[in-house]
Amino acid sequence: MLICSVVLLVAVAAVRISSRSGLPSLLIYLGIGIAIGQDGIGNVVFDNAELTQVIGYAALVVILAEGGLGTKWKEIKPALPAAIVLSLVGVAISVGVTAAGAHYLVGLEWRQALLIGAVVSSTDAAAVFSVLRKVPLPSRVTGVLEAESGFNDAPVVILVVAFATVGPVDSWYVLVGKIALELTIGAAIGLAVGWLGAYGLRHVALPASGLYPIAVMSIAVSAYAAGAIAHGSGFLAVYLAAMVLGNAKLPHWPATRGFADGLGWIAQIGMFVLLGLLVTPHELVDDFWPAVLVGLVLTMVARPLEVFISLLPFRVPWREKALMSWAGLRGAVPIILATIPLVSGIEGSDRVFNIVFVLVVVYTLVQGPTLPWLARKLEVGGDPDRNATDLGIESAPLEKLRGHLLSFSIPEASRMHGVEVSELRLPPGASVTLVVRDDKSFVPLPATVLRRGDELLVVATDPVRDAAEARLRAVARGGKLAGWLGTGHGPDGDEDEGSADRSAGRRGRGSGRGR
């Protein structure tokens, strides 16, 4: 118990170190596991690959759910076709090129080479964005990278399981058919579970606000279970279900996001510490240079070919392609998938695991710190205020009154600073009822000037709830003239701001209950 408490405290401190250093946190958590393992100061002996795989799968479900909840549809929608092609065609290219390199350059048997090629073909959005958090990127780049990392887990898992099965490997056309079928089943179940869950949460008032985060995560996890039972891709199902829920304007959304983010951190910490325990450091020495060589083929040949060939049908500038080529960081998924051949007892599976482990660690150390530098050199940048000016609006349904209570704080970089209450131009049926400033609350007048740091309570009737939130987000981004300056807005900033007032008026006269 004492060891677990110490590990948790160190891991929490590691989050802070990671955010300051720019290194993906997985390296720190792996280091903690290695430090308390059998070659470390803790001398804890752990070699249960099957348990590690089960816990790793559970952690991946939580991580994918958290990633899906944070995926904004307005950013991912334009990048969806490119991300799908990259997740399917790109994975095939990556597996083939990397496996060829592992076979001809390192001398691995074809089954082992194919296993390594499949295992390391999955990218990790958490690792990518943990080092790019301080570098604003165009939404097209972030959308492709995020969607790719959410989608490519599914075909990769199918390939790894196929290559790790004892006996002859299925023909390529059989594998393609299995991948298509499982992805179709997983996508259908994920979208259906997400839509039904969102519909229920919007129309059923739970007795306590704290139940909403639990309900959302439960729905997302149930999508994985339903997908697995139906012999579909559970990983794709949980990601899509969470993405639908994350864009459904659910009550108490900031609290739900905070809860999911905390669960995601716990899942990452536990998973990486366990993986660090599983590895035996002194056994990695012999496989260090083979791992570096395979990683070189993956990073310098397979990934660029994967990106440039897959994105040929799309008009993506070469600078963005170059950045996406270097941004193919590997993280949790490859190491977890490397336990599948261990559990199956495939010959040479120990070496496959060691090579994958070293590859992930070495190339995360190389690529992680250089990603921000490369983004600046390639001059691939976005709007630095895109996230800073967004409002974290908390929505609480007033079921009996057929209304909603919206609460939010005005961020430092928000253009709502200096705007009068009357200049918000909220739709009829919505009004600012209370302002909290310097720990004092008061009822604002139409001429009250809003300031950064103010906390506002807005009451909106049921039909105009979405229009009111859309207007608040528009003013936060465009200021008092939002609506006349062409600033994009909408519930998530995805509607043309030039139609702000017309849209608000139409919604104010409608009878819908949200999206």
Side-chain angles (χ1 to χ4, degrees):
M1 188 67 179
L2 178 60
I3 293 178
C4 292
S5 300
V6 173
V7 170
L8 184 58
L9 288 174
V10 174
V12 171
V15 176
R16 185 66 174 173
I17 296 173
S18 173
S19 63
R20 286 179 174 271
S21 65
L23 285 174
S25 55
L26 71 91
L27 296 180
I28 301 175
Y29 305 145
L30 284 173
I32 294 172
I34 294 173
I36 63 178
Q38 53 185 316
D39 283 356
I41 58 176
N43 198 27
V44 176
V45 178
F46 179 79
D47 58 359
N48 194 331
E50 187 172 1
L51 177 61
T52 303
Q53 180 182 324
V54 172
I55 295 177
Y57 270 38
L60 286 177
V61 169
V62 174
I63 293 171
L64 281 173
E66 190 272 332
L69 291 174
T71 300
K72 294 183 178 180
W73 176 246
K74 69 184 180 68
E75 292 184 359
I76 202 176
K77 182 180 178 180
L80 202 56
I84 292 175
V85 174
L86 192 58
S87 302
L88 297 176
V89 177
V91 163
I93 295 172
S94 179
V95 172
V97 174
T98 306
H103 176 71
Y104 291 110
L105 298 180
V106 179
L108 295 177
E109 297 292 335
W110 269 115
R111 183 185 287 266
Q112 299 171 8
L114 287 170
L115 275 170
I116 289 180
V119 164
V120 299
S121 295
S122 179
T123 57
D124 187 351
V128 173
F129 293 120
S130 66
V131 298
L132 284 177
R133 65 169 62 90
K134 296 180 181 179
V135 182
L137 294 175
S139 58
R140 175 168 54 188
V141 175
T142 58
V144 170
L145 290 174
E146 191 167 357
E148 179 201 9
S149 65
F151 293 154
N152 65 12
D153 292 344
V156 166
V157 169
I158 297 171
L159 288 175
V160 174
V161 171
F163 295 148
T165 301
V166 177
V169 179
D170 292 329
S171 301
W172 67 269
Y173 54 85
V174 176
L175 288 177
V176 171
K178 285 183 177 180
I179 291 174
L181 179 61
E182 293 193 23
L183 292 181
T184 301
I185 295 173
I189 290 177
L191 294 174
V193 170
W195 185 86
L196 290 173
Y199 181 85
L201 288 175
R202 284 201 305 265
H203 290 78
V204 177
L206 298 179
S209 60
L211 293 176
Y212 282 91
I214 299 175
V216 168
M217 291 301 296
S218 299
I219 292 169
V221 173
S222 68
Y224 172 83
I229 292 173
H231 300 287
S233 173
F235 289 117
L236 182 60
V238 66
Y239 182 76
L240 290 179
M243 187 170 66
V244 173
L245 291 167
N247 290 271
K249 314 307 295 178
L250 299 177
H252 306 289
W253 185 242
T256 300
R257 283 293 298 127
F259 179 78
D261 191 46
L263 282 184
W265 276 111
I266 293 174
Q268 288 190 63
I269 292 170
M271 179 174 56
F272 289 130
V273 170
L274 194 62
L275 289 171
L277 279 172
L278 182 65
V279 73
T280 306
H282 70 265
E283 296 180 355
L284 302 177
V285 177
D286 293 338
D287 294 314
F288 179 82
W289 289 112
V292 172
L293 192 57
V294 173
L296 195 63
V297 173
L298 171 67
T299 305
M300 305 305 296
V301 182
R303 177 65 180 179
L305 281 176
E306 170 188 357
V307 171
F308 278 83
I309 292 177
S310 299
L311 299 183
L312 276 178
F314 308 96
R315 295 182 178 180
V316 180
W318 73 266
R319 295 175 185 270
E320 295 182 7
K321 290 181 181 178
L323 182 64
M324 285 189 278
S325 298
W326 192 246
L329 291 180
R330 273 66 190 174
V333 179
I335 303 177
I336 288 295
L337 294 182
T339 63
I340 294 178
L342 281 176
V343 175
S344 300
I346 298 297
E347 183 180 356
S349 57
D350 289 338
R351 193 178 186 198
V352 170
F353 180 84
N354 291 339
I355 289 177
V356 171
F357 189 94
V358 173
L359 187 154
V360 169
V361 172
V362 170
Y363 283 90
T364 301
L365 279 171
V366 173
Q367 292 174 271
T370 57
L371 266 175
W373 173 84
L374 182 62
R376 289 191 293 268
K377 286 296 182 181
L378 292 174
E379 298 180 350
V380 178
D383 180 10
D385 294 330
R386 179 164 53 94
N387 295 324
T389 58
D390 197 16
L391 295 178
I393 298 180
E394 173 89 25
S395 175
L398 305 173
E399 195 70 21
K400 294 183 179 180
L401 301 178
R402 295 187 58 78
H404 291 265
L405 179 64
L406 309 179
S407 61
F408 62 92
S409 296
I410 300 179
E412 288 293 324
S414 175
R415 292 185 174 89
M416 193 177 287
H417 174 76
V419 175
E420 296 182 3
V421 170
S422 61
E423 293 172 330
L424 292 176
R425 304 202 316 277
L426 295 175
S431 64
V432 180
T433 59
L434 195 69
V435 174
V436 179
R437 178 180 298 166
D438 299 328
D439 296 328
K440 296 181 180 179
S441 59
F442 60 92
V443 177
L445 299 174
T448 299
V449 178
L450 302 176
R451 302 176 184 174
R452 58 178 63 93
D454 284 355
E455 297 181 23
L456 276 66
L457 294 182
V458 178
V459 174
T461 58
D462 206 31
V464 301
R465 182 255 190 227
D466 283 352
E469 182 174 343
R471 181 60 195 162
L472 291 170
R473 293 187 186 278
V475 176
R477 295 186 177 113
K480 66 179 69 177
L481 297 181
W484 292 311
L485 295 179
T487 307
H489 93 295
D492 281 317
D494 56 354
E495 183 179 331
D496 180 66
E497 174 62 24
S499 61
D501 298 319
R502 298 190 299 273
S503 174
R506 288 196 301 269
R507 294 183 184 183
R509 293 188 292 270
S511 57
R513 187 185 167 81
R515 287 194 292 170

